[in-house]
Amino acid sequence: MTRPLTIIGSFVSPYVRKVLACINLKGLAYEVDPITPFFGNGEFERLSPLRRIPVLIDGDVSVSDSTVICEYLDEAYPGHPLLPADPKDRARARWLEEYADTRLGDLFIWGLFYQKIVHPLVWGEPGDQARIDKTLHEDAPAALDYLEGELPPDGFLFGDIGLADIAIASFFRNAAYAGFEPDAARWPRTAGFVERTLDHPCIDDLLRFEDVQRNAAIKGRRQALLDAGAPLSAESWGEREPRKGYMRL
Ligand SMILES: N[C@@H](CCC(=O)N[C@@H](CS)C(=O)NCC(=O)O)C(=O)O
């Protein structure tokens, strides 16, 4: 029997969600070690030198960075294609994924989700209110204006759902966790696209594990995830206390 793919990383990370949704689209078996990145041990640091999640372990191969992982999955496994076939469409899909990872990541993760949820939880201190305000009132509206011109009024970006759709929508789920949703009157395409994509079973099926991960106390989290049917790995690359050694912010 072939071993399932292993993903190291929290169900609540937009980058981990992107990879898991792509694995679901491909119909592959996986197991997860749901660590928060700041809690990674020395072996985690060897696998992920930037100490970021997700990490994929596939037999004797380990890969970090969600984009690299998804492209590896698309090349190594048949089934639902993650990128469109036409080179011009592929380039545009890659750009929109990059825009999501970089710009939406800066805004929704580092500007909102991290400040409002992760920072207080992990470090026990409030986040940066000035950064939250600037994100909400200046930077996020500008990003949504851009997306409104790029996203389709119905369906997905390149026919069937793929990596670019998933990447964009994934960040909006974390934005919603931090209390921000696109106003459908001002950005109707974006609001509709995000709702449609998050409703697709490849992402929607992950929601129950995210709910557990968000709501269970750290101590009881592993058991709560197992009780909810989450496919967890027996091995873990985390430790009990967060490490401040490497931090982007
Ligand atoms: N480019 C990376 C970004 C991954 C990333 O930033 N993950 C966050 C969690 S959502 C993380 O591990 N942060 C820890 C840190 O930056 O120290 C990817 O696509 O996988």
Side-chain angles (χ1 to χ4, degrees):
M1 201 181 91
T2 48
R3 289 198 54 188
L5 303 169
T6 300
I7 297 295
I8 307 174
S10 163
F11 284 100
V12 177
S13 156
Y15 303 96
V16 172
R17 181 185 304 112
K18 175 173 64 166
V19 168
L20 294 179
C22 287
I23 291 176
N24 281 340
L25 269 186
K26 291 260 181 211
L28 302 169
Y30 67 87
E31 51 188 32
V32 174
D33 175 20
I35 68 163
T36 304
F38 313 106
F39 289 70
N41 62 20
E43 177 59 8
F44 170 73
E45 187 159 324
R46 196 184 67 75
L47 296 174
S48 180
L50 296 179
R51 293 189 60 80
R52 292 186 192 153
I53 53 168
V55 173
L56 165 76
I57 302 172
D58 183 11
D60 56 359
V61 175
S62 76
V63 187
S64 47
D65 190 276
S66 63
T67 303
V68 180
I69 294 171
C70 291
E71 294 196 350
Y72 165 77
L73 292 172
D74 217 18
E75 289 165 5
Y77 291 95
H80 190 114
L82 302 178
L83 286 168
D86 177 75
K88 291 176 185 164
D89 287 345
R90 284 171 88 81
R92 185 163 172 260
R94 286 185 165 119
W95 158 247
L96 289 168
E97 189 208 358
E98 167 57 22
Y99 183 81
D101 285 0
T102 300
R103 190 60 182 147
L104 299 186
D106 269 354
L107 299 177
F108 295 160
I109 302 306
W110 295 105
L112 296 181
F113 183 74
Y114 181 81
Q115 305 303 337
K116 292 181 81 168
I117 295 168
V118 179
H119 197 280
L121 196 75
V122 173
W123 307 116
E125 306 157 355
D128 178 347
Q129 189 58 44
R131 184 161 182 183
I132 295 171
D133 291 342
K134 183 170 182 304
T135 302
L136 286 176
H137 302 301
E138 294 174 34
D139 299 339
L144 266 72
D145 286 345
Y146 170 69
L147 285 176
E148 191 67 11
E150 298 293 324
L151 297 175
D154 45 44
F156 298 105
L157 279 158
F158 304 99
D160 208 352
I161 190 169
L163 178 55
D165 307 286
I166 290 169
I168 292 169
S170 182
F171 285 89
F172 279 89
R173 183 168 278 162
N174 288 78
Y177 290 157
F180 176 84
E181 307 222 22
D183 175 356
R186 183 165 171 193
W187 299 288
R189 283 186 180 218
T190 307
F193 171 87
V194 167
E195 190 181 350
R196 226 167 22 253
T197 309
L198 292 178
D199 276 352
H200 190 284
C202 72
I203 305 189
D204 189 54
D205 286 356
L206 300 167
L207 191 54
R208 58 204 166 111
F209 305 141
E210 296 185 32
D211 287 344
V212 174
Q213 177 107 29
R214 288 195 310 130
N215 295 316
I218 290 183
K219 221 173 151 199
R221 196 179 270 168
R222 184 178 169 83
Q223 191 55 50
L225 280 165
L226 286 170
D227 292 346
L232 299 194
S233 60
E235 196 177 347
S236 178
W237 289 262
E239 41 189 44
R240 293 169 66 87
E241 296 297 325
R243 285 191 177 194
K244 268 204 171 167
Y246 167 76
M247 271 203 73
R248 226 178 324 172
L249 292 186

